[in-house]
Amino acid sequence: MSLQRQTMIKEKIKDCMRAKFRSYNKPETANMPFHYRLLGKDRMALFSFIQSLNTTFGISIYEPVAIALARERFKVTETQVKPFSKISSEAHQQIQTIVNELTVANREPNKSTEIEEIREVCQEGILNQVRLTKVDIWLESHEGELFLFDLKTVKPNKSDFEKFKQTLLEWTAAELAREPSAVVNTMIGLPYNPYEPEPYKRWTLRGMLDLNHEVLIAEELWDFLGGEGSYVDLLDAFEMAGIELRSEIDAYFEKFR
C-alpha cells in the first residue's frame, strides 16, 4: 500500500470515529453507582462507548474502510446493497435441498457444484418476490465478476451457520435469476482472527461452508480487497489513527468525569 493510500485509509478511520462520537450522545448505562465510585464515570463512559462501537463496528468502520481499499481494484464497490428481489420457485427448492443435505451430513459443501445446481433451475417455475438480507460489501470486477460479502462477527455461533449458508445461496439464486450467465461469488468475511498467532479454528465452520471458496478471514479478506500486504498496512493505519485521535478521545471522555 502506498503512503498516500495508507494516509487516505487513516483519515477514513478518523472520520468514522469522529462520526461515531457525534452520534454517541451519552453512555447507555443509566446509573451504576458502585461501578462509578470504583472506576469513575469517565472509565464507565469509555466502557459503554466501546460496547456501542463493537455493536456497530462493521457498518461504522469495516465497511467504509473495505470500500476505500477496494476502489482501486474493482469497477463497482458498494455497501448495504439490496440484491435482486426475485428467486425462482425451483431455485428456492434446490437451496432447501442443499441446506437440508448439509445439515444431516449427506453431502460435503462444494460451492462451485452448488452454484451450478442453482444455475440449472434459476429461471424455472415461478419467479417469486423475496426480501433478502442486504449485501454488506458488493464488488464487481472489471471483467463483470461479482463478489458479495456478508461481514460477520469473528466468533459466530455454530447454530448460525445454517442461516449464513442460506443467505449466500439466496444471493446466488437472486443474481442468477436476474442474469443466468452471471459469475457470482458469495462469501463470509471475518475481519480478524481472534486466535492469532494460532490459526483460526475453522473446524467450527466445517460441514456447512466451503472453507476454500466461501470464507475469507483476516489477512485473506483485506488482501483480497486491497491487494497483497493490505492487512499489515491497514493495522498500521489503525494504529496511526489511534495515536492522532488520542487527544480528541481523551477530551471527549473528560466531560464524563
Side-chain angles (χ1 to χ4, degrees):
M1 189 186 300
S2 67
L3 179 60
Q4 181 181 8
R5 193 176 182 212
Q6 191 176 47
T7 300
M8 181 269 291
I9 296 294
K10 178 193 68 178
E11 293 303 317
K12 171 63 71 173
I13 295 167
K14 289 165 65 176
D15 289 344
C16 292
M17 283 296 292
R18 286 170 176 147
K20 182 64 178 177
F21 284 140
R22 288 193 296 271
S23 64
Y24 183 78
N25 297 319
K26 63 180 181 179
E28 296 176 8
T29 52
N31 180 43
M32 301 178 71
F34 296 105
H35 294 72
Y36 289 161
R37 284 160 176 76
L38 179 64
L39 300 173
K41 284 190 175 182
D42 56 337
R43 291 189 179 92
M44 288 305 299
L46 177 58
F47 171 73
S48 179
F49 176 83
I50 291 171
Q51 285 187 311
S52 176
L53 184 61
N54 283 339
T55 301
T56 62
F57 216 90
I59 294 176
S60 300
I61 306 290
Y62 292 140
E63 289 182 18
V65 168
I67 292 302
L69 274 176
R71 281 200 179 109
E72 292 185 9
R73 302 191 67 216
F74 294 89
K75 182 174 70 174
V76 177
T77 58
E78 298 179 6
T79 63
Q80 295 299 308
V81 177
K82 290 183 178 180
F84 190 59
S85 61
K86 293 184 179 181
I87 292 179
S88 78
S89 56
E90 291 299 312
H92 180 76
Q93 181 58 49
Q94 184 59 42
I95 289 171
Q96 288 305 123
T97 298
I98 292 170
V99 172
N100 291 342
E101 290 180 354
L102 289 172
T103 301
V104 298
N106 280 349
R107 69 188 286 167
E108 292 289 324
N110 184 310
K111 192 57 177 287
S112 60
T113 299
E114 294 159 9
I115 290 173
E116 293 313 310
E117 289 175 352
I118 294 172
R119 192 189 306 275
E120 288 179 6
V121 295
C122 65
Q123 292 192 324
E124 292 185 9
I126 302 170
L127 278 181
N128 293 316
Q129 195 79 19
V130 291
R131 186 174 181 178
L132 302 181
T133 302
K134 287 184 179 180
V135 179
D136 291 332
I137 304 293
W138 177 295
L139 307 174
E140 181 181 343
S141 72
H142 293 281
E143 295 73 36
E145 187 170 359
L146 296 176
F147 299 89
L148 314 185
F149 282 91
D150 192 3
L151 295 185
K152 292 300 183 185
T153 175
V154 295
K155 290 186 177 181
N157 295 321
K158 193 170 184 179
S159 60
D160 292 334
F161 297 153
E162 183 177 329
K163 183 179 178 182
F164 296 169
K165 184 72 173 190
Q166 183 99 14
T167 294
L168 297 183
L169 295 176
E170 286 175 345
W171 286 351
T172 300
E175 290 311 308
L176 292 179
R178 189 206 308 254
E179 175 48 67
S181 63
V183 181
V184 185
N185 305 274
T186 58
M187 312 175 81
I188 297 293
L190 304 180
Y192 64 92
N193 174 15
Y195 309 107
E196 198 172 329
E198 297 297 321
Y200 189 86
K201 297 178 180 178
R202 288 174 179 256
W203 61 267
T204 60
L205 308 173
R206 190 174 293 121
M208 190 61 67
L209 299 174
D210 184 336
L211 302 185
N212 294 320
H213 300 98
E214 284 187 304
V215 184
L216 292 181
I217 301 169
E219 188 171 359
E220 298 170 338
L221 174 65
W222 299 108
D223 284 6
F224 174 82
L225 295 172
E228 186 177 355
S230 292
Y231 176 65
V232 174
D233 290 339
L234 185 59
L235 291 177
D236 290 340
F238 268 83
E239 183 176 13
M240 289 187 291
I243 292 171
E244 294 178 17
L245 282 172
R246 186 158 297 165
S247 61
E248 294 180 45
I249 294 172
D250 289 344
Y252 180 82
F253 289 103
E254 180 67 25
K255 66 184 179 182
F256 294 106
R257 284 188 179 275

